[in-house]
Amino acid sequence: STDLTSTVGYDSIIQHLNDGRKNCKEFEDFLKERAVIEEKYGKELINLSKKKPCGQTELNTLKRSLDVFKQQIDNVGQGHIQLAQTLREEAKKMEDFREKQKLHRKKIELIMEAIHKNRNLQYKKTMEVKANMLLFLALAVTRALLYFSPLPHFWQLFLKLAQTKSALEDSDRSYQQNVTALEKIREEWQKEHIKACEFFETQECERINYFRNALWLHVNHLSQDCVQNDEKYEEIRKSLEKCSVEKDVDFFVNLRKTGSMAPAPVVYENYYNAQRNVTPVRSPAPVPISRRGPLPTPTSAPGE
C-alpha cells in the first residue's frame, strides 16, 4: 500500500500463514481420528477371531485351513493396530513441524509488530509537528499583516511577530528532524518487511512441501497395509488349495470306523415247541462293505 501506516499487505500474508497452519492442524486431527478407527477395527477383528467359533468341529485339512483363516484374520487385526500407531506417529510429526514453524514465525512477527508501532508513532508525531509548524506559519502571516496595519500597540505586535518567527523556526527545525527520523524508520521498516516476506515465503514453501510429502507418505502406509493384508489372505487361499474333500472324508471314516463287516441276520431259535422241527435259517456269509467311488470336485455356481 502507498499509505505508510497501512499493514493491509502484511496482514494478508499473516492471515495466509495462519490458514496454512490451520490446514496442517486439520490434517493432523484427521490422522488422529483415522488412527482411532483403525485401532478399534483391529481390536474387533482380533476379538472376533479369538472368541467367535468358526467351524470348531471340523477335521483334517479343512480344519487346518480354518485355523490358518482365523490366524490370518488375527494378523490382519494386528496390522490395523500397527497402522493406527503409525498414523499417530505421522500426526505427531505434523504437530512438531507446525509448532516449530509457529515458534520461528513468532520471532519475526514480534519484530514486525514493534517496528510497525514505532513507525506509526513517529509518523503521528511528525504529522503533529507539521501541523504545529503550519499553525505557527499561519499565525506569523496574520501578525505580519497586522504589523503593516495602522493599528495601535505597534510595539506589542512587533514583539509578538518576533516571538512567532522564533517559534516558527523552532517548529520547522523540529519538523525537519522528525521527517528525517521518520525516513530512517521507514527505511528500517522496509528492509525488515522485505526480510520478513522472504522468511515467510521460505516457510510457506517448506510447509507446502512438507504437507505434500506427509500426504504422500500417509497414502503409502495405507497401500502397504492393503498389500500386507492381501498377503495374509493369500495364505488362507494357499491353505484352502491344500484342502482335500476325499482326504477329509477318509480321515473321518478311519477316525470313527466301527468295523468292516455288516451285522449278521437274526436267527430264529425254538424255545416253545420241542417237537416242532424247524429248519434253522442259515445266514449268508458276511459281505464286506464296499466303498463308493471318489467324490466329485465341488464347484461354485455364478454369484456364489
Side-chain angles (χ1 to χ4, degrees):
S1 174
T2 55
D3 182 5
L4 180 60
T5 61
S6 174
T7 58
V8 60
Y10 177 81
D11 294 340
S12 178
I13 294 174
I14 295 300
Q15 182 62 46
H16 178 72
L17 295 176
N18 289 335
D19 289 342
R21 186 159 56 90
K22 179 183 176 184
N23 293 335
C24 289
K25 182 65 167 62
E26 289 176 352
F27 181 64
E28 174 191 327
D29 292 339
F30 180 89
L31 293 178
K32 291 179 180 178
E33 290 293 330
R34 177 69 185 266
V36 171
I37 295 172
E38 292 290 343
E39 184 177 46
K40 182 178 180 181
Y41 180 57
K43 289 181 177 179
E44 291 293 337
L45 281 180
I46 292 173
N47 289 335
L48 178 66
S49 66
K50 289 183 178 179
K51 297 180 179 180
K52 189 67 175 178
C54 184
Q56 60 183 349
T57 61
E58 282 295 343
L59 303 172
N60 207 33
T61 60
L62 183 56
K63 182 181 186 309
R64 288 194 290 271
S65 295
L66 285 170
D67 290 340
V68 172
F69 167 73
K70 295 192 71 175
Q71 180 59 50
Q72 293 304 329
I73 293 299
D74 183 278
N75 292 341
V76 170
Q78 296 289 354
H80 281 283
I81 292 177
Q82 181 60 43
L83 177 60
Q85 181 60 31
T86 301
L87 296 181
R88 289 192 179 95
E89 293 173 359
E90 287 184 40
K92 186 63 171 62
K93 291 178 181 178
M94 177 61 76
E95 180 183 5
D96 293 342
F97 172 78
R98 181 172 53 83
E99 289 299 320
K100 178 182 177 182
Q101 278 209 330
K102 177 183 176 182
L103 291 175
H104 289 174
R105 188 164 69 244
K106 190 64 178 177
K107 298 176 183 178
I108 303 299
E109 290 181 20
L110 290 175
I111 294 174
M112 293 304 296
E113 288 176 6
I115 203 168
H116 284 162
K117 183 178 180 180
N118 188 30
R119 179 199 63 186
N120 293 347
L121 288 175
Q122 184 61 40
Y123 181 81
K124 181 180 179 181
K125 182 179 179 182
T126 302
M127 293 300 103
E128 289 175 351
V129 171
K130 178 182 178 181
N132 289 334
M133 190 271 297
L134 293 175
L135 180 61
F136 281 124
L137 180 60
L139 184 59
V141 172
T142 302
R143 288 177 175 176
L145 292 175
L146 292 175
Y147 174 77
F148 293 105
S149 300
L151 294 176
H153 311 297
F154 169 78
W155 290 108
Q156 292 180 3
L157 290 173
F158 181 80
L159 181 60
K160 289 182 179 180
L161 181 60
Q163 292 174 347
T164 302
K165 182 175 182 296
S166 177
L168 180 60
E169 291 175 352
D170 292 340
S171 180
D172 182 66
R173 192 181 309 110
S174 177
Y175 175 52
Q176 290 180 9
Q177 291 173 351
N178 277 276
V179 169
T180 302
L182 179 59
E183 177 59 19
K184 290 182 179 179
I185 292 175
R186 189 197 68 81
E187 291 177 354
E188 181 185 1
W189 159 75
Q190 184 167 301
K191 181 174 65 175
E192 291 297 329
H193 182 80
I194 293 173
K195 288 169 59 178
C197 287
E198 291 173 348
F199 175 80
F200 292 152
E201 181 178 356
T202 301
Q203 266 209 336
E204 181 64 3
C205 293
E206 185 182 47
R207 185 193 67 83
I208 294 174
N209 185 62
Y210 188 90
F211 201 159
R212 171 185 175 276
N213 291 342
L215 193 57
W216 193 297
L217 181 63
H218 173 63
V219 174
N220 283 349
H221 285 313
L222 298 181
S223 296
Q224 183 64 26
D225 184 64
C226 291
V227 171
Q228 292 174 350
N229 285 346
D230 187 66
E231 291 175 354
K232 298 179 180 72
Y233 297 142
E234 180 64 20
E235 291 298 319
I236 299 173
R237 289 189 286 268
K238 290 179 180 179
S239 176
L240 289 173
E241 287 176 351
K242 298 177 181 178
C243 177
S244 169
V245 178
E246 292 81 3
K247 288 182 179 180
D248 284 3
V249 172
D250 288 341
F251 180 83
F252 169 75
V253 170
N254 292 328
L255 181 67
R256 303 297 183 188
K257 65 183 179 180
T258 56
S260 59
M261 305 297 290
V266 177
V267 179
Y268 171 77
E269 298 182 28
N270 182 12
Y271 295 102
Y272 172 69
N273 188 352
Q275 302 299 323
R276 191 172 181 177
N277 187 13
V278 179
T279 303
V281 179
R282 301 184 65 180
S283 60
V287 180
I289 300 174
S290 62
R291 295 295 307 278
R292 55 189 171 85
L295 296 174
T297 302
T299 59
S300 298
E304 290 185 343

